[in-house]
């Protein structure tokens, strides 16, 4: 495995991992891996290719070959490409999240995405956000964060995030969907959502994103991930 420093951030949906990972990567000037986006992209690619949702071999093959790209537009807004289509908005929907969590239970799909994820570890460092970053993909990472928040707060954050992007969502439906997705993620046979033994547990309930970011940067500094 490479010697590039990796900071992993795992946790349930809506814990604030994505925002935190982006901010910390920016602060440190490190690369970012949004591993959830890979699962979302795979589910979307599968449906565009007409794969049955349970076609494990088909999704595993596609995981190795799908043509994806991450970029930023002029205003710094993230863009995610599947072939020639910019799909970032479509990927953010809860339908895409649910599709992702269905393909994510398939062992050969996870195996096919493993190497692709490790390739994101490039100098000067990587912040990796997901469910199994610290347990499976980067087990030697020098700092692993497991970020949680109460179920109510996670649903309400996701609700505000989606509303802010102009999606028409209901808080009750979203709470239900997140609970189902977390249950599937935590109870699957391969790489279930759980903290690594050496992870730092951080409960962000009632904390601002700035406070959480400060806590993580302080841990990173204490571990001498940067000077
Ligand atoms: O993080 P995000 O909500 O984008 O992830 C979507 C889904 O992808 C998760 O609910 C989970 O099922 C799956 N996932 C995973 N392993 C990861 C990242 C995401 O299984 N490392």
């Amino acid at each position: 495995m490479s010697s590039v420093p990796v900071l992993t951030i795992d946790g349930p949906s809506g814990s604030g991992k994505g925002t935190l990972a982006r901010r910390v990567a920016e602060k440190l000037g490190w690369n970012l891996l949004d591993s959830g986006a890979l699962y979302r992209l795979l589910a979307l690619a599968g449906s565009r290719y007409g794969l049955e949702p349970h076609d494990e071999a088909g999704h595993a093959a596609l995981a190795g070959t799908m043509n994806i790209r991450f970029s930023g537009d002029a205003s710094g807004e993230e863009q995610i490409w599947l072939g020639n289509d910019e799909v970032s908005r479509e990927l953010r929907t809860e339908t895409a999240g649910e599709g992702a969590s269905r393909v994510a239970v398939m062992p050969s799909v996870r195996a096919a995405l493993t190497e692709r994820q490790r390739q994101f570890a490039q100098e000067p460092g990587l912040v990796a956000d997901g469910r199994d970053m610290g347990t499976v993909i980067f087990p030697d990472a020098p700092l692993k964060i497991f970020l949680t928040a109460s179920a109510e707060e996670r649903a309400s954050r996701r609700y505000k995030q989606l509303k802010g992007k102009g999606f028409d969502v209901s808080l009750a439906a979203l709470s239900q969907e997140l609970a189902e997705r977390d249950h599937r993620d935590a109870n699957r046979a391969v790489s279930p959502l759980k903290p690594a033994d050496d992870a730092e547990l951080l409960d962000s309930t009632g904390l601002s994103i700035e406070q959480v970011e400060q806590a993580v940067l302080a841990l990173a500094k204490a571990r001498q991930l940067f000077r």
Side-chain angles (χ1 to χ4, degrees):
M1 226 170 263
S2 88
S3 58
V4 175
V6 179
L7 192 168
T8 62
I9 304 179
D10 291 302
S13 316
S15 56
K17 297 178 280 92
T19 312
L20 174 66
R22 185 157 296 115
R23 290 176 69 119
V24 171
E26 208 160 280
K27 265 272 162 52
L28 298 178
W30 286 10
N31 300 294
L32 177 68
L33 165 59
D34 172 359
S35 63
L38 298 185
Y39 288 93
R40 288 170 185 255
L41 279 161
L42 179 59
L44 181 63
S47 73
R48 289 197 176 177
Y49 277 90
L51 295 183
E52 291 297 329
H54 298 293
D55 179 351
E56 180 162 359
H59 281 94
L62 199 51
T65 57
M66 63 178 175
N67 176 14
I68 58 176
R69 195 162 53 85
F70 295 82
S71 64
D73 70 8
S75 62
E77 197 59 27
E78 184 183 42
Q79 295 184 314
I80 305 178
W81 301 82
L82 178 59
N84 293 323
D85 296 337
E86 205 284 301
V87 294
S88 52
R89 189 173 165 81
E90 194 172 347
L91 286 190
R92 285 308 130 213
T93 61
E94 195 42 42
T95 309
E98 198 206 319
S101 88
R102 289 185 186 281
V103 297
V105 302
M106 301 172 181
S108 50
V109 163
R110 303 198 73 85
L113 282 178
T114 300
E115 200 42 48
R116 252 190 131 145
Q117 294 175 88
R118 289 188 178 146
Q119 283 164 6
F120 280 78
Q122 303 284 339
E123 295 288 354
L126 176 70
V127 179
D129 143 26
R131 304 290 186 293
D132 60 345
M133 298 294 99
T135 48
V136 176
I137 305 296
F138 301 109
D140 299 329
L143 178 56
K144 301 175 183 179
I145 306 291
F146 194 84
L147 191 66
T148 55
S150 70
E152 296 72 28
E153 187 147 334
R154 292 190 287 109
S156 124
R157 283 181 192 163
R158 190 49 72 85
Y159 175 77
K160 284 185 197 143
Q161 197 179 39
L162 289 172
K163 275 277 184 195
K165 288 187 192 278
F167 288 106
D168 184 20
V169 281
S170 110
L171 182 58
L174 199 57
S175 302
Q176 170 83 18
E177 285 159 355
L178 284 190
E180 283 168 14
R181 188 143 69 88
D182 285 342
H183 185 265
R184 192 178 304 120
D185 290 348
N187 291 286
R188 66 185 173 218
V190 275
S191 313
L193 169 68
K194 64 163 193 219
D197 291 339
D198 52 351
E200 300 284 341
L201 305 186
L202 238 171
D203 185 345
S204 68
T205 311
L207 297 182
S208 68
I209 180 67
E210 288 80 11
Q211 289 171 312
V212 179
E213 181 186 331
Q214 283 316 312
V216 171
L217 288 173
L219 285 166
K221 190 156 193 183
R223 302 267 169 104
Q224 299 187 324
L225 263 62
F226 71 96
R227 272 179 276 163

